[in-house]
Amino acid sequence: MHLKNQLKEKGYDTEKDKALHSATIEEAITATGFGKYNLGLMLVCSWTLQAMGMDLFGTSFVVAAAVCDLELSMQQRALLTATPLIGVVLGAQLWGYVSDTKGRRLTLVLSMSIGFVFAALSSFAPNWKIMALLKLVSSTFTSASNSASYTLLGESCPEFYRGRTMLLCNCFLMCSQAVVALFAYPILPLEFVYWIDFLSIKYRSWRLLALVMSLPCAATACLLQLFHESPKFLVSIGKNEEAIEVLKKIYACNSGNKANTFNVKKIVDKAEQSSEKESFFKTMWHQTAALFKPPLLKVTLKLFYLVAIIYMTGSGFILWLPYIMNNLFSVLEAGGGQGMNLCTIIRYSTESVGVSGNDTMIQEVCNDTIQDTTLFSAMTYGALASSSNLVLSLTCGSRKRFAMICIVTTSAVAAVLLNVIATPIAGGIFFFFFLLCALSMGILSVYFVELYPTSLRGMASCLSVMLGRSSAFLGVNAIGALISANCEATFYGWAVLLLTAVVLSWYLPKDKVPNK
C-alpha cells in the first residue's frame, strides 16, 4: 500500500494505468488533457486561417488602390478581385487528397510556404493579368488552410473542448478583412514612388500593402514546425506507434510531466485506409465518391446545401461591403438620406449615371483613393463579427445546431428589416447583422470534423470549401446585377433562401454532450 502511494505521488496511478493501457484514439487524446499545446496550436491554426483570409479578401483593397497604376476598367477590377475565389475552387479537391493521404500538418506547411512566395511576387506584377495569375496561384495554395487548419486542430483536441476551440479559431478568419484594413490605414496614404527599371513598374504603397499581406503566410508556415501531425491521421494510416509518440509529447507539454508517464501504451483502433496502393486519380475518385454514398449521402447533401447558402451570403456580400458603405456615407455627408432605406440610398447615389437606350454610359474618372470611412466600416464589421464569434464559441460549443438556427434566422430577419426600416444608419446596421450569417461557417467546419471518418475528413472539408467559394464567386457576380435590377426583391429573396437553411439546420444531427 505504501509503494502504491509513492507511485501516485510520482505521477503513476496503477489502477488508472491498467485501465488506460489500451485505448481508442479518442480516449487517448482525452488522456493528454487540454493545455499549452492545444492553446498554442489553436493560435497558430487561427493565424493560418487569418493569413488565408487576408490573401483572399484583402485583394479588394489592393485592387481599389491599384486602379490607376494598372489602368483597370470596371470589368477588370471585378475579375481581379474575384480571382482568389477561383483559386480556392481549383485547389480544393487536390488539397483534400493531400490532407487525407500525406497529413494535415504537411499540407499546411507546404501550402502556406508556396502561397507566400506567389502572394509576395504579386506585389511586383507589371500588369493586371500577371497579378491575376499570381493571385490565382497563391490562393490555390493558401486555400488549403481553410480545411486543414480546422482538421488538424479538431483532431488534436479532446472531444469536450473541440467545438469551442474550432469556433474560437474562426474569430481570426472573421476579422481577416478588418486586419487588412488596419494595415491599409497607415500604408496606403504613403506617397513614396520607386521606379524598378527591369520590371518597368512604379513601386507604390499598394504594392507594399500586397507584400505585407503575404508575410503572415510565411510566419505561420514557420510556426507550424513547432507542432506535430494529427494523431488521428497517423492512426488512420496504420502508424499507431508514431501516434503514441505524438500523444506522449502532447501530454508532456500539457501536463508538465515526463512523456513516459503517459498512461496509454497501445491504440486499439485499426487503420481506416487500405494498404493496397492505388493511383492518384483512383484514390481521389474513391474518396470523393464515398461522400455521396450511404451512409454519408444524407449528411453530405444537408451540409453542402448549407455551405452553398452561407458562403453565397457571407462571402458574397462581404465583397460588396465597401461599395454599399461608400454609397451610404456619401449620401449622409451630402445631407441626404432622410426617409430612405438602404436600397433607396444605393439608387440615390447612382442617379448621376446616364442611360442611353439599353446601354449605361458611365463617365469614369481614375480614382485610387480609398476613403477612411470604407476602412473604418471594414474594421467595424470585423470587430462585430469577431466579438460575436467569441461569445458564440464560449456559450454554444456543445449547442451547434441551436446556434446555427439562431444565427441564420437573425440574418434572414435583418435582410427584411433593412428594406422595411426607412432610416439610413439603421439600414447599415441591419446590413452588418445580415452579414453575420458568416458566423455559421465555423459551426459547419465543426460538423465536417465530427460527422466524417478520419480517412475522408480532409476531402469532405476541401470539397465543402470548393463549393462554398464557387457559391461566393457566383454570388458576387449575381449580387451586382440583382441589386441594380431590384434591390428590395434581392434582399427579400435572400431572406427566403436563409429561411430554407434554417429549416434544413433543424434536421442536422442533435448535439451530444461530449465527455470531459
Side-chain angles (χ1 to χ4, degrees):
M1 189 69 178
H2 179 66
L3 177 61
K4 183 183 289 187
N5 290 335
Q6 284 184 326
L7 288 171
K8 286 185 177 180
E9 289 174 3
K10 293 180 180 180
Y12 293 93
D13 188 335
T14 53
E15 295 299 324
K16 189 176 181 181
D17 182 70
K18 183 178 179 182
L20 288 179
H21 182 76
S22 297
T24 65
I25 182 60
E26 195 66 63
E27 291 169 342
I29 292 173
T30 301
T32 63
F34 185 86
K36 292 181 290 184
Y37 180 88
N38 305 102
L39 292 173
L41 181 61
M42 182 184 72
L43 284 175
V44 173
C45 287
S46 299
W47 290 331
T48 304
L49 282 167
Q50 189 175 80
M52 178 210 67
M54 292 172 68
D55 188 47
L56 291 181
F57 302 114
T59 307
S60 58
F61 291 96
V62 173
V63 171
V67 63
C68 294
D69 281 0
L70 298 181
E71 300 178 350
L72 299 176
S73 66
M74 290 298 291
Q75 292 79 9
Q76 291 166 348
R77 288 176 63 176
L79 181 59
L80 190 53
T81 301
T83 293
L85 297 177
I86 303 173
V88 176
V89 175
L90 293 178
Q93 195 169 16
L94 172 64
W95 290 121
Y97 167 80
V98 175
S99 177
D100 282 339
T101 57
K102 306 301 179 183
R104 324 308 192 188
R105 179 176 167 273
L106 174 65
T107 298
L108 287 172
V109 173
L110 178 67
S111 63
M112 298 309 286
S113 300
I114 300 177
F116 157 71
V117 173
F118 284 94
L121 287 175
S122 70
S123 70
F124 297 94
N127 55 62
W128 76 271
K129 292 180 181 179
I130 299 297
M131 186 176 186
L133 178 62
L134 291 171
K135 290 301 297 182
L136 179 69
V137 178
S138 73
S139 61
T140 300
F141 281 92
T142 60
S143 64
S145 65
N146 208 133
S147 59
S149 293
Y150 288 118
T151 308
L152 177 62
L153 178 63
E155 292 180 348
S156 302
C157 284
E159 184 183 14
F160 182 81
Y161 300 95
R162 187 171 299 146
R164 186 167 297 174
T165 54
M166 291 178 69
L167 288 173
L168 281 171
C169 206
N170 197 49
C171 287
F172 286 74
L173 178 60
M174 295 296 296
C175 70
S176 56
Q177 196 175 43
V179 173
V180 174
L182 198 62
F183 281 122
Y185 186 72
I187 291 177
L188 288 181
L190 298 177
E191 297 183 355
F192 68 87
V193 179
Y194 294 107
W195 175 255
I196 301 179
D197 193 54
F198 74 97
L199 291 174
S200 299
I201 63 170
K202 294 178 181 177
Y203 201 91
R204 297 179 59 214
S205 57
W206 66 266
R207 294 184 182 274
L208 177 61
L209 177 62
L211 180 62
V212 169
M213 288 193 329
S214 70
L215 296 178
C217 296
T220 52
C222 295
L223 289 171
L224 283 163
Q225 303 291 334
L226 303 174
F227 298 88
H228 308 291
E229 182 55 82
S230 157
K232 276 194 173 184
F233 168 76
L234 293 174
V235 170
S236 76
I237 60 173
K239 295 184 177 181
N240 289 23
E241 294 300 321
E242 192 173 333
I244 289 288
E245 293 304 312
V246 168
L247 290 167
K248 286 181 179 179
K249 293 174 183 177
I250 295 175
Y251 167 77
C253 183
N254 284 338
S255 65
N257 298 329
K258 292 183 178 180
N260 58 10
T261 63
F262 184 56
N263 293 322
V264 179
K265 310 300 179 185
K266 181 181 179 182
I267 301 295
V268 297
D269 299 71
K270 295 181 180 180
E272 294 180 8
Q273 297 185 20
S274 173
S275 58
E276 182 182 348
K277 296 295 182 180
E278 294 182 336
S279 67
F280 166 79
F281 292 106
K282 191 174 182 180
T283 303
M284 185 178 289
W285 166 251
H286 284 166
Q287 285 182 304
T288 304
L291 303 176
F292 297 94
K293 296 178 180 179
L296 297 175
L297 176 61
K298 287 185 179 180
V299 70
T300 297
L301 294 178
K302 290 176 187 177
L303 290 178
F304 278 22
Y305 180 80
L306 291 172
V307 164
I309 299 300
I310 299 303
Y311 274 78
M312 190 185 298
T313 307
S315 297
F317 275 94
I318 189 64
L319 292 176
W320 286 94
L321 176 67
Y323 170 77
I324 292 175
M325 290 297 108
N326 268 340
N327 287 337
L328 175 61
F329 288 120
S330 296
V331 171
L332 291 177
E333 288 174 5
Q338 290 80 9
M340 295 183 180
N341 64 14
L342 189 62
C343 284
T344 308
I345 290 284
I346 295 172
R347 284 194 295 270
Y348 178 83
S349 62
T350 55
E351 282 182 353
S352 58
V353 176
V355 179
S356 176
N358 292 327
D359 298 323
T360 302
M361 306 298 294
I362 303 175
Q363 185 63 38
E364 293 189 58
V365 177
C366 184
N367 181 13
D368 59 5
T369 301
I370 299 180
Q371 300 296 327
D372 289 345
T373 51
T374 301
L375 298 176
F376 287 140
S377 64
M379 294 180 199
T380 302
Y381 170 73
L384 176 64
S386 297
S387 57
S388 300
N389 199 85
L390 180 62
V391 172
L392 176 69
S393 61
L394 295 176
T395 58
C396 299
S398 60
R399 295 187 291 272
K400 299 182 292 297
R401 190 177 67 152
F402 173 76
M404 182 93 171
I405 291 171
C406 290
I407 291 168
V408 181
T409 302
T410 301
S411 183
V413 171
V416 174
L417 290 178
L418 65 84
N419 276 338
V420 174
I421 305 299
T423 305
I425 293 297
I429 293 172
F430 286 130
F431 183 67
F432 276 6
F433 278 100
F434 172 65
L435 292 177
L436 286 182
C437 73
L439 293 172
S440 303
M441 295 177 186
I443 298 175
L444 288 171
S445 298
V446 179
Y447 275 118
F448 277 103
V449 170
E450 290 186 349
L451 300 181
Y452 288 93
T454 307
S455 59
L456 298 174
R457 196 169 288 153
M459 180 61 74
S461 298
C462 285
L463 284 179
S464 75
V465 172
M466 181 173 73
L467 174 63
R469 298 309 178 191
S470 299
S471 303
F473 180 77
L474 293 174
V476 168
N477 289 280
I479 289 164
L482 291 172
I483 286 179
S484 299
N486 194 325
C487 181
E488 283 86 354
T490 298
F491 284 107
Y492 284 132
W494 236 273
V496 173
L497 278 177
L498 289 169
L499 289 176
T500 64
V502 171
V503 173
L504 194 59
S505 298
W506 179 260
Y507 293 98
L508 288 173
K510 292 183 179 180
D511 297 316
K512 61 179 181 179
V513 179
N515 297 320
K516 187 171 182 179

